[in-house]
Amino acid sequence: MTPRPVSIRPARECDLPALVALANHYIEHTNALFTTELQTVEGRRSWFEGYGAGRYRLLVAEDETGLLGCTYSSRYRPTPAFDTTVETSIYLQPRCHGAGLGARLYAALFDILRTEEVHLAVAGVAQPNPASNALHRKCGFEEVGTFREYARKRGVWISSTWFQKPIA
């Protein structure tokens, strides 16, 4: 079978319904997103509008079947001392795991971030998640520590391992 061509590009407003559906999958079936309520397109619009230029980017991967995944860089903390640190996130359609798409998405994001005033990318991975841990290591992140049982979702305590990657 011939692999389908995949394009990676900045997200557009028309992607918002597919991005919401992807987020809702992770909210409903995993602990990767700590949000407990399903999202709506209208409710997610202000989140979407926070991306575009500068340090805060939202990229999608797609083929002719539709959206395959997304990655984004967000403000880490709301104080100027953290302006050159971004928090990265990546989510793939379940059928796309293990095919190298996550590494391609992250590579595209980091290529853009290297042109911006970004010093460090950080990422928190809800545990257990060996596949995401491996992806972050493969993409040059270094593990820096784990917050143990610091969140609770559906009656389960969640730990997160944090990673960092120099960008500048």
Side-chain angles (χ1 to χ4, degrees):
M1 183 167 106
T2 306
R4 296 179 176 117
V6 173
S7 67
I8 296 174
R9 60 168 175 77
R12 298 186 291 251
E13 189 168 352
C14 63
D15 298 316
L16 194 50
L19 288 165
V20 168
L22 183 61
N24 283 341
H25 165 79
Y26 280 91
I27 291 167
E28 223 173 352
H29 301 288
T30 76
N31 288 332
L33 279 169
F34 293 133
T35 305
T36 57
E37 294 181 14
L38 295 178
Q39 305 293 302
T40 64
V41 171
E42 259 328 293
R44 202 75 167 142
R45 193 168 305 283
S46 66
W47 166 85
F48 178 83
E49 291 169 354
Y51 297 94
R55 299 177 187 104
Y56 311 123
R57 302 296 182 110
L58 170 57
L59 303 179
V60 297
E62 68 177 354
D63 67 10
E64 76 271 4
T65 67
L67 186 112
L68 304 175
C70 70
T71 186
Y72 48 94
S73 55
S74 304
R75 186 172 189 88
Y76 173 63
R77 296 230 171 132
T79 58
F82 292 105
D83 279 354
T84 60
T85 297
V86 296
E87 183 172 351
T88 62
S89 300
I90 188 163
Y91 298 98
L92 303 176
Q93 296 288 357
R95 71 181 188 279
C96 298
H97 291 190
L101 182 59
R104 287 182 59 196
L105 265 168
Y106 255 165
L109 179 63
F110 298 142
D111 283 348
I112 293 168
L113 293 180
R114 278 192 276 285
T115 69
E116 301 296 336
E117 193 180 348
V118 175
H119 176 71
L120 191 69
V122 298
V125 177
Q127 298 301 316
N129 195 335
S132 188
N133 294 341
L135 171 65
H136 284 84
R137 288 184 185 105
K138 177 181 180 179
C139 292
F141 283 85
E142 173 189 5
E143 184 177 325
V144 292
T146 299
F147 290 112
R148 304 207 184 282
E149 298 183 352
Y150 80 130
R152 193 168 170 91
K153 184 175 174 183
R154 292 188 297 269
V156 175
W157 286 107
I158 306 166
S159 300
S160 281
T161 298
W162 281 81
F163 294 85
Q164 68 179 31
K165 174 185 174 72
I167 300 295

